[in-house]
């Protein structure tokens, strides 16, 4: 297959992936009807990104095995600072700053991550993009038992305190549980941090006591108050919604 043909095929696959992600995201306010669409998105996104395999065989179980031996993830070469309930990744003089609102239980967020995560990382490391990550307890009632969105958003902020936000964030999506099923327990969330190299008792205490739960809830309340929040994932720039259903949305922002 020639280079031109491969590029044309890749472009077509990414267009299909983007359309499927957007369709899944808007299908239902509580995301309970998007699971089938998300499966399609995962398959397409893997091909778009270039054959990178995102293992999902262990996700959704909520058992000890689901977080055992987490896939190797690398950090990001950029400054990372926690600011209340948000985590800012990127250089201060980056050309573009966006706010990314996500939920670690949200299937459409996982698909967004697969489709655009690598490009976002590349632009952050190139110094052109800064991202304010807002992990929200938006789908808190949609795990069984309830509370995984709250627990995971708190744990990610705890990991930021230990300078492991990026690795923890990436692994939570790699080990994303199914919506409607059991999420990872607090014990498992602590173990994940330990497996990623977090030492000492501070992280464990932070996760178990819910130290940053109010901060994460505050981020959700604040974005809802804007009247522009469209559910997770939502991308905003300067307080305005960015329509990411166009596969070139990030490229266009950086022009």
């Amino acid at each position: 297959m020639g280079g031109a043909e491969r590029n044309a095929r890749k472009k077509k696959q990414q267009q299909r992936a983007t359309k499927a992600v957007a369709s899944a995201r808007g299908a239902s306010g509580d995301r309970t009807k998007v699971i089938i669409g998300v499966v399609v998105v995962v398959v397409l996104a893997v091909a778009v990104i270039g054959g990178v395999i995102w293992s999902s065989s262990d996700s959704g179980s909520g058992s000890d095995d689901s977080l055992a031996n987490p896939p190797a993830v690398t950090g990001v070469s950029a400054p990372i600072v926690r600011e209340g309930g948000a985590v800012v990744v990127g250089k201060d003089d980056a050309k573009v700053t966006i706010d990314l609102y996500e939920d670690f239980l949200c299937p459409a967020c996982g698909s967004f991550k697969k489709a655009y995560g690598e490009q976002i990382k590349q632009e952050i490391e190139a110094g052109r993009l800064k991202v304010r990550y807002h992990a929200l307890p938006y789908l808190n009632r949609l795990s069984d038992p309830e509370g995984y969105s709250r627990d995971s958003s708190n744990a990610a902020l705890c990991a930021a305190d230990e300078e492991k936000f990026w690795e923890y964030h990436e692994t939570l999506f790699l080990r994303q549980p199914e919506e409607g099923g059991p999420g990872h327990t607090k014990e498992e969330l602590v173990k994940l941090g330990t497996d990623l190299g977090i030492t000492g008792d501070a992280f464990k205490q932070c996760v178990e006591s819910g130290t940053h739960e109010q901060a994460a809830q505050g981020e959700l309340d604040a974005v809802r108050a804007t009247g522009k929040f469209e559910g997770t994932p939502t991308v905003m720039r300067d307080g305005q919604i960015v329509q990411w259903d166009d596969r070139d949305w990030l490229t266009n922002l950086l022009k």
Side-chain angles (χ1 to χ4, degrees), residues 5-163:
E5 186 177 351
R6 283 196 299 269
N7 290 337
R9 182 178 180 182
K10 181 177 179 181
K11 181 178 180 180
K12 184 176 181 181
Q13 289 172 330
Q14 189 167 17
Q15 288 174 330
R16 292 170 63 193
T18 302
K19 183 180 294 185
V21 174
S23 176
R25 178 176 177 272
S28 171
D30 62 8
R31 305 298 189 275
T32 57
K33 299 180 181 179
V34 304
I35 301 301
I36 294 177
V38 169
V39 172
V40 176
V41 173
V42 171
V43 174
L44 293 174
V46 167
V48 170
I49 294 173
V52 178
I53 299 176
W54 295 77
S55 173
S56 60
S57 60
D58 294 331
S59 65
S61 67
S63 67
D64 288 342
D65 290 341
S66 66
L67 282 176
N69 301 317
V73 294
T74 58
V76 61
S77 180
I80 301 179
V81 179
R82 182 174 70 82
E83 296 181 353
V87 179
V88 184
V89 183
K91 297 179 180 179
D92 288 338
D93 60 354
K95 181 179 180 180
V96 171
T97 298
I98 61 173
D99 288 85
L100 175 55
Y101 297 89
E102 54 190 1
D103 185 311
F104 291 115
L105 183 63
C106 164
C109 297
S111 298
F112 178 92
K113 173 71 177 63
K114 292 176 176 67
Y116 301 112
E118 186 61 28
Q119 184 185 8
I120 288 173
K121 181 180 181 182
Q122 290 173 357
E123 297 297 349
I124 289 174
E125 293 187 323
R128 292 185 288 265
L129 179 68
K130 181 168 67 173
V131 182
R132 290 175 53 85
Y133 287 91
H134 307 261
L136 307 179
Y138 178 58
L139 302 181
N140 205 47
R141 65 183 181 83
L142 295 183
S143 60
D144 184 15
E146 295 184 8
Y148 176 68
S149 293
R150 176 197 62 226
D151 294 344
S152 57
S153 60
N154 171 69
L157 294 174
C158 294
D161 291 342
E162 302 297 327
E163 300 184 351

Side-chain angles (χ1 to χ4, degrees), residues 190-231:
V190 170
K191 183 180 185 300
L192 172 58
T194 302
D195 290 343
L196 292 173
I198 299 177
T199 59
D201 293 332
F203 177 74
K204 181 175 185 292
Q205 293 173 359
C206 184
V207 172
E208 292 181 346
S209 65
T211 299
H212 299 306
E213 287 178 5
Q214 291 186 353
Q217 181 63 44
E219 295 297 316
L220 177 57
D221 295 341
V223 71
R224 278 176 165 165
T226 67
K228 301 175 182 178
F229 182 56
E230 298 181 345

